[in-house]
């Protein structure tokens, strides 16, 4: 093993640094976040930082990068308070990646990438038709992280759309069966293969495959 | 597709709810966090919520659950300001899972699970010997989330240990080659298979495999 420390990090070129540190936390969730502004202009962007905060209430978070460049997703969420989170699967990962291009605000990423735009029931933000697990989320609050000017966005899941084939008896959702994929670094895409489910761990009783 | 909404969520039994919402954000990173208290008692616990916050400085976050039950990891981090983040791989996932059992504070999870305890250089917190990617992290701050009593812990990566076979020319770390695995829900473990790396996305130029 080699050791890299802060003196090494200081010499990293900007892109090298981005690739390196984005790889170090492990595999990442991949989701398309759909939003709309008050003028009914939609936006769609891929995020690799959506994470679970709690089940009761059902809170999720994601990190939005600094506002030094326009961040249409965050602007729209602040305008309307609602957004959708749509799992990326193997059939749409190229289009999902393409949403990261810096399209001007007047361009619609759904049109530009060919992903299907879907409005459902009375939810104001657009869903991604090809996504097999779709969440409707309401903004709870944003948390500024002044140390690097990022913003953590926290929301509550209010609607879930999925095929009931993916929903297990105990509430677990089989996201591998749903085709959900994951990411590493900034631009690597991976499918998964289940190793095991393990039983609830207790002291003095080794967890087993179940 | 079926739709589940907040009225449905209210009827979920507690474990069903936990399984369900823990599945909905997508695949999760799996890391063992190693800590030590001022009396030199070590602790090791698996976390599925470590996420990237920024590359410059190199900030990472994780979510610690409510303090209503003892949270040795968070207590130790507050005492010493340092912790390690160690990728879980296929060879150690059972032991990693076993660290989630509620051992009393005087029990050492390294001993209980058989994972190798390793102190390196002058870093105060213990690393996991069998882990192929190991991070030394310094606490920056904790952010209370009063809405559900969780705590977000934010730290800066100060040391990285890895085999240089995993480090690519452009700074990307091949975590799949390192054997790093990911999780879904609360208790499912998955290995990965790379689909592709895609080029930097630009408007009017479709991203390609590279």
């Amino acid at each position: 093993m080699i050791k890299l420390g802060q003196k090494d990090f200081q010499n990293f070129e900007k892109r090298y640094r981005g690739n390196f540190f984005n790889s170090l936390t492990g595999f990442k969730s991949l989701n398309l976040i759909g939003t709309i502004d008050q003028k009914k202009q939609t936006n769609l962007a891929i995020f690799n930082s959506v994470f679970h905060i709690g089940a009761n209430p059902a809170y999720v978070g994601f990190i939005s990068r600094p506002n030094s460049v326009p961040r249409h997703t965050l602007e729209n969420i602040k305008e309307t308070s609602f957004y959708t989170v749509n799992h990326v699967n193997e059939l749409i990962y190229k289009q999902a990646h393409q949403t990261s291009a810096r399209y001007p605000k007047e361009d619609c990423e759904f049109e530009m990438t060919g992903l299907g735009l879907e409005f459902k029931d009375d939810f104001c933000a657009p869903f991604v038709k090809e996504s097999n697990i779709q969440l409707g989320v309401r903004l709870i609050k944003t948390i500024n992280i002044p140390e690097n000017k990022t913003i953590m966005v926290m929301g509550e899941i209010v609607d879930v759309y999925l095929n009931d084939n993916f929903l297990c008896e105990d509430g677990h959702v089989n996201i591998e069966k749903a085709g959900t994929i994951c990411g590493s670094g900034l631009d690597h895409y991976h499918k998964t293969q289940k190793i095991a489910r393990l039983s609830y761990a207790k002291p003095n009783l080794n967890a087993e495959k179940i």
Side-chain angles (χ1 to χ4, degrees), chain A:
Chain A
M1 275 195 169
I2 57 167
K3 176 186 177 179
L4 295 167
Q6 289 190 291
K7 283 186 183 169
D8 303 297
F9 305 160
Q10 286 164 9
N11 296 323
F12 285 176
E13 174 269 329
K14 189 184 171 195
R15 282 199 186 179
Y16 189 99
R17 169 184 281 274
N19 286 328
F20 184 72
F21 288 111
N22 271 282
S23 306
L24 291 185
T25 48
F27 288 101
K28 299 172 175 186
S29 63
L30 291 178
N31 288 286
L32 285 158
I33 297 188
T35 56
I36 192 166
D37 69 10
Q38 285 172 333
K39 294 175 182 165
K40 306 296 177 194
Q41 169 76 43
T42 62
N43 191 270
L44 187 67
I46 190 168
F47 281 82
N48 62 13
S49 65
V50 175
F51 57 93
H52 176 82
I53 299 178
N56 192 13
Y59 289 147
V60 293
F62 73 91
I63 300 292
S64 182
R65 294 176 62 194
N67 276 320
S68 51
V69 292
R71 296 293 166 191
H72 306 146
T73 298
L74 184 58
E75 287 170 18
N76 291 353
I77 292 174
K78 285 185 170 174
E79 275 187 37
T80 68
S81 288
F82 289 92
Y83 52 108
T84 69
V85 172
N86 308 269
H87 283 212
V88 175
N89 60 54
E90 195 177 351
L91 297 176
I92 58 169
Y93 79 95
K94 283 189 180 177
Q95 293 105 306
H97 183 85
Q98 188 64 31
T99 64
S100 66
R102 292 194 185 181
Y103 292 108
K105 191 165 193 298
E106 61 272 19
D107 279 0
C108 166
E109 285 83 6
F110 285 98
E111 273 178 42
M112 294 294 145
T113 63
L115 287 167
L117 184 157
E118 196 172 38
F119 284 105
K120 301 213 229 205
D121 301 317
D122 55 353
F123 201 81
C124 75
F127 293 88
V128 177
K129 193 168 184 170
E130 296 84 354
S131 177
N132 294 322
I133 297 175
Q134 308 167 347
L135 317 178
V137 183
R138 179 174 65 87
L139 176 67
I140 297 291
K141 66 176 180 182
T142 57
I143 299 172
N144 290 318
I145 301 177
E147 288 81 356
N148 69 347
K149 297 181 183 163
T150 54
I151 294 163
M152 181 182 135
V153 181
M154 176 171 141
E156 180 174 2
I157 299 173
V158 293
D159 290 322
V160 176
Y161 294 89
L162 80 178
N163 188 314
D164 60 2
N165 286 337
F166 308 142
L167 185 55
C168 307
E169 264 184 25
D170 62 357
H172 180 79
V173 180
N174 191 334
I175 62 173
E176 184 168 285
K177 190 175 174 185
T180 301
I181 62 172
C182 59
S184 72
L186 283 167
D187 49 16
H188 287 63
Y189 293 82
H190 308 256
K191 54 186 172 182
T192 65
Q193 190 184 342
K194 181 178 164 186
I195 301 167
R197 178 186 181 190
L198 294 180
S199 60
Y200 192 83
K202 295 179 180 177
N204 305 318
L205 184 68
N206 282 332
E208 298 288 344
K209 289 189 184 189
I210 53 176

